[in-house]
């Protein structure tokens, strides 16, 4: 993996922009295709949704490129060794981002930012997968900024970062599936019941006063904003 990172260092900026845009575009295509596979009914996306989704992809590419530049200039450090630290790093990234995004999400709901920024995402009462990318630019850059700030704290392991990014997309897709793939029994299992399921985020779109969390319901349970 260290070789791949070193290879990126020697590529011209234009090639990097192209690679990062293709990577973000591929993630979007996989999310939209997976969503169609899970959902039994039919739905289509409006041209407005496609435009906003495209813009979010460009902004996510800007965040990716900014992260690359920060790494290149040693503002962000990345470890590439394979060790048990990968598990600890992943758990830290998972719970730290869960808390940071909860705080960010709660603030944009409780201030003027809801009307000016976050309402765009909430125009969808019954979300579908494209809503994961129907975000106001401030929101897309806000989540990306939180991620880059967290990466500045410590030299996280590259494999933990990659697993975290995959898990992040899976939770984002789950929250906007428009249906619940997990049987109720599974959702009630110890530990699983604290995770942010499709139903959990779907309820947030139906009633904006509850379920501000993303990966877990821990912070909503503590603040009494949890809706089963
Ligand atoms: Zn919200
Ligand atoms: Zn949502």
């Amino acid at each position: 993996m260290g070789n791949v990172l070193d290879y990126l260092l020697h590529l011209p900026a234009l090639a990097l922009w192209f690679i990062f845009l293709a990577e973000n575009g591929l993630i979007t295509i996989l999310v939209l295709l997976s969503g169609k596979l899970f959902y039994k009914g039919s739905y289509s996306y409006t041209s407005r949704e496609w435009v906003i989704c495209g813009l979010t992809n460009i902004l996510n590419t800007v965040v990716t490129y900014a992260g690359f530049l920060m790494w290149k200039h040693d503002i962000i450090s990345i470890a590439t060794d394979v060790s048990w630290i990968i598990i600890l790093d992943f758990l830290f990234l998972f719970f730290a981002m869960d808390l940071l995004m909860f705080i960010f999400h709660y603030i944009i709901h409780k201030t003027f930012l809801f009307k000016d920024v976050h309402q765009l995402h909430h125009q969808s009462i019954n979300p579908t997968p494209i809503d994961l990318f129907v975000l106001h630019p401030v929101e897309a850059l806000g989540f990306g900024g939180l991620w880059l700030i967290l990466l500045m704290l410590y030299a996280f392991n590259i494999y933990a970062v990659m697993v975290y990014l995959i898990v992040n997309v899976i939770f984002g897709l789950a929250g906007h599936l428009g249906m619940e793939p997990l049987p109720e029994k599974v959702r009630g299992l110890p530990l699983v019941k604290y995770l942010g399921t499709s139903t959990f985020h779907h309820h947030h779109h139906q009633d904006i006063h509850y379920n501000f969390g993303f990966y877990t319901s821990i912070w909503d349970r503590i603040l009494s904003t949890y809706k089963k």
Side-chain angles (χ1 to χ4, degrees), residues 26-129:
L26 188 66
I27 291 169
T28 303
I29 290 166
L30 285 174
V31 163
L32 299 183
L33 288 179
S34 310
K36 287 272 183 193
L37 282 178
F38 275 102
Y39 198 82
K40 297 292 173 236
S42 68
Y43 55 78
S44 56
Y45 299 134
T46 64
S47 50
R48 180 173 174 272
E49 285 174 319
W50 280 116
V51 169
I52 300 171
C53 174
L55 179 64
T56 301
N57 265 272
I58 292 169
L59 293 176
N60 286 344
T61 304
V62 169
V63 171
T64 313
Y65 192 75
F68 172 81
L69 285 184
M70 289 165 84
W71 170 70
K72 187 176 174 180
H73 296 287
D74 289 329
I75 301 167
I76 287 175
S77 298
I78 293 287
T80 54
D81 54 317
V82 178
S83 73
W84 56 272
I85 281 286
I86 294 171
I87 300 166
L88 281 185
D89 278 4
F90 166 76
L91 289 174
F92 183 83
L93 289 172
F94 181 83
F95 286 108
M97 277 307 285
D98 188 52
L99 174 59
L100 289 175
M101 292 200 300
F102 178 90
I103 295 170
F104 181 72
H105 191 196
Y106 195 86
I107 290 171
I108 53 178
H109 265 273
K110 302 296 179 186
T111 59
F112 70 95
L113 288 169
F114 182 77
K115 204 167 146 284
D116 294 344
V117 173
H118 192 48
Q119 203 173 38
L120 175 70
H121 182 68
H122 276 285
Q123 283 175 355
S124 192
I125 310 289
N126 289 304
T128 50

Side-chain angles (χ1 to χ4, degrees), residues 105 108-109 114 118 121-122 139 201 204-205 208 210-212 214:
H105 191 196
I108 53 178
H109 265 273
F114 182 77
H118 192 48
H121 182 68
H122 276 285
E139 194 170 358
H201 191 70
H204 175 65
H205 276 265
I208 60 165
Y210 295 94
N211 298 1
F212 299 98
F214 289 94

